[in-house]
Amino acid sequence: MIAHNLRLISPIAEDVYAGLTSSPRRLPAKLFYDAAGSALFEEITRLPEYYVTRTEAAILRRHAAEICRRAGKGVTVIELAAGSAEKTRLLLAELLRDRMSVTYVPVDVSEAALAAARDSIERALPNVRVQPVLRELSDLRFLARYPGPRLVLFIGSTIGNLEDDEAVALLRGIAAELGPQDRLLLGTDLVKDLAVLLPAYNDAGGVTARFNRNQLARINRELGGTFDLEGFRHVALWNAERSRIEMHLEARRRQSVRIRDLGLVVEFAAGERIHTENSYKYTLPRVRALLAQAGFGLEQSWSDERGWYAVHLAHIR
Ligand code: AVJ
């Protein structure tokens, strides 16, 4: 009876209900990004262990001129899962070298992140017209509203949160809206030494652990949950078979949690886990194959000296 009214309770109610009643239990990664979680993620991006953001930023900085030249001078920049849009500034600044103004459309599920992105971009680059769009990436038909040529950014290795079939579906959705003049810029984290990968998802300062537990904190705040945050251990592990980092929250002891607004009581056995995130790590051939399956041709890839991360420019075929 509760089940079909869930959407009315809260935008996260359905996902939380489905995830916590499934076996094994899971929560979707997009649940991380309320205001508190977005702030914690920003903190992660500055951690010494988290190489992802600064490696991508270095690639974008080094190749901004070539990326913008290949994308074309007049592009409207649309960024999917924009977050704080820190790195995008590098590309927007480059585009402004040849033009009076640029339109930038950040798309995200976090209102707080969009507001922060708009403020920081407008302050740093007053000639950028920022037009934020608050939404999930499940329906991309809104892309048609923006004049071409377009440069669609899906950077930050956000694609790594998706299963291959979901990634291909999303890329297909993008491809369906793009014309021959438009470009996709995709950022992917690459397979590397575990001595580098694991600390990036289990930092010494415990920021990633707090980020992970924020999912439980959010359920407490938004759905009247009774999760004891200290009752769950942060676990980050490498799944070699699937080529992904997984994050879990593991019950330290047997416990029961009530989620008032869902009319739900969840019983956890000691050691039972909630799977909160996958972060896929790619190889170049795999990225090429994903793009090809979605109807994209790869125009150029750029990587760092250590081969830790890559940025790809693609067009529809
Ligand atoms: C934003 C999905 C790229 O997978 O590295 C950071 C999220 N999770 N630390 C990633 C994240 C734990 C991040 N992405």
Side-chain angles (χ1 to χ4, degrees):
M1 188 202 57
I2 282 187
H4 58 256
N5 288 322
L6 283 179
R7 217 168 318 203
L8 302 175
I9 295 171
S10 143
I12 69 167
E14 248 174 323
D15 285 336
V16 171
Y17 190 96
L20 289 182
T21 55
S22 79
S23 172
R25 302 190 204 279
R26 56 183 158 74
L27 288 168
K30 66 178 178 210
L31 220 73
F32 284 125
Y33 301 99
D34 66 349
S38 296
L40 283 166
F41 180 67
E42 287 310 307
E43 211 177 310
I44 287 174
T45 65
R46 292 188 291 269
L47 292 171
E49 294 98 331
Y50 194 73
Y51 61 87
V52 177
T53 309
R54 76 177 63 87
T55 307
E56 182 178 63
I59 296 169
L60 293 177
R61 199 172 297 120
R62 174 177 290 182
H63 301 291
E66 190 186 354
I67 292 167
C68 292
R69 181 175 55 72
R70 287 181 179 272
K73 296 226 181 292
V75 287
T76 296
V77 179
I78 303 165
E79 181 168 13
L80 307 179
S84 72
E86 280 276 317
K87 289 161 289 178
T88 313
R89 222 186 299 165
L90 298 162
L91 295 175
L92 295 170
E94 180 64 35
L95 289 169
L96 283 171
R97 290 161 71 99
D98 294 311
R99 296 153 65 180
M100 291 298 291
S101 70
V102 177
T103 300
Y104 171 53
V105 183
V107 184
D108 206 277
V109 290
S110 164
E111 199 150 11
L114 284 173
R118 165 181 236 154
D119 285 356
S120 78
I121 297 280
E122 284 180 344
R123 199 170 322 117
L125 303 168
N127 290 333
V128 174
R129 284 189 300 262
V130 185
Q131 298 175 9
V133 174
L134 181 70
R135 66 161 71 213
E136 292 191 23
L137 304 181
S138 42
D139 181 2
L140 293 167
R141 280 172 300 185
F142 73 96
L143 289 176
R145 278 193 233 138
Y146 301 95
R150 288 162 289 188
L151 174 60
V152 175
L153 307 181
F154 192 40
I155 57 176
S157 203
T158 308
I159 194 169
N161 278 165
L162 305 178
E163 300 302 317
D164 278 3
D165 60 334
E166 296 171 327
V168 169
L170 176 61
L171 293 172
R172 278 208 182 116
I174 300 170
E177 303 304 324
L178 299 190
Q181 306 305 319
D182 301 329
R183 291 291 181 275
L184 168 69
L185 191 72
L186 178 69
T188 59
D189 198 11
L190 301 178
V191 175
K192 64 181 65 59
D193 199 329
L194 289 190
V196 177
L197 269 178
L198 287 173
Y201 292 85
N202 199 359
D203 60 289
V207 181
T208 307
R210 274 195 284 148
F211 174 71
N212 200 6
R213 288 194 193 97
N214 181 57
Q215 290 217 7
L216 307 184
R218 184 173 182 188
I219 292 169
N220 287 351
R221 285 191 292 269
E222 294 185 26
L223 297 173
T226 62
F227 277 106
D228 166 17
L229 301 195
E230 291 318 306
F232 288 83
R233 187 169 75 88
H234 166 66
V235 176
L237 57 86
W238 173 247
N239 182 334
E241 208 175 308
R242 312 292 306 274
S243 194
R244 70 191 190 198
I245 291 280
E246 297 178 6
M247 297 211 312
H248 300 262
L249 290 163
E250 184 181 291
R252 292 186 199 273
R253 50 186 153 71
R254 195 175 148 261
Q255 54 197 294
S256 91
V257 176
R258 197 173 116 72
I259 300 164
R260 185 195 59 212
D261 297 355
L262 301 181
L264 183 66
V265 175
V266 188
E267 306 283 355
F268 290 92
E272 188 172 358
R273 288 174 175 179
I274 308 171
H275 187 171
T276 51
E277 184 174 45
N278 290 320
S279 186
Y280 280 93
K281 306 305 172 189
Y282 301 92
T283 60
L284 213 59
R286 185 167 168 197
V287 173
R288 191 184 290 276
L290 286 176
L291 285 168
Q293 277 183 65
F296 280 104
L298 183 56
E299 183 168 331
Q300 173 88 50
S301 295
W302 297 272
S303 191
D304 53 295
E305 303 82 17
R306 298 181 287 196
W308 282 3
Y309 195 95
V311 172
H312 319 270
L313 193 67
H315 51 74
I316 59 165
R317 282 175 315 179

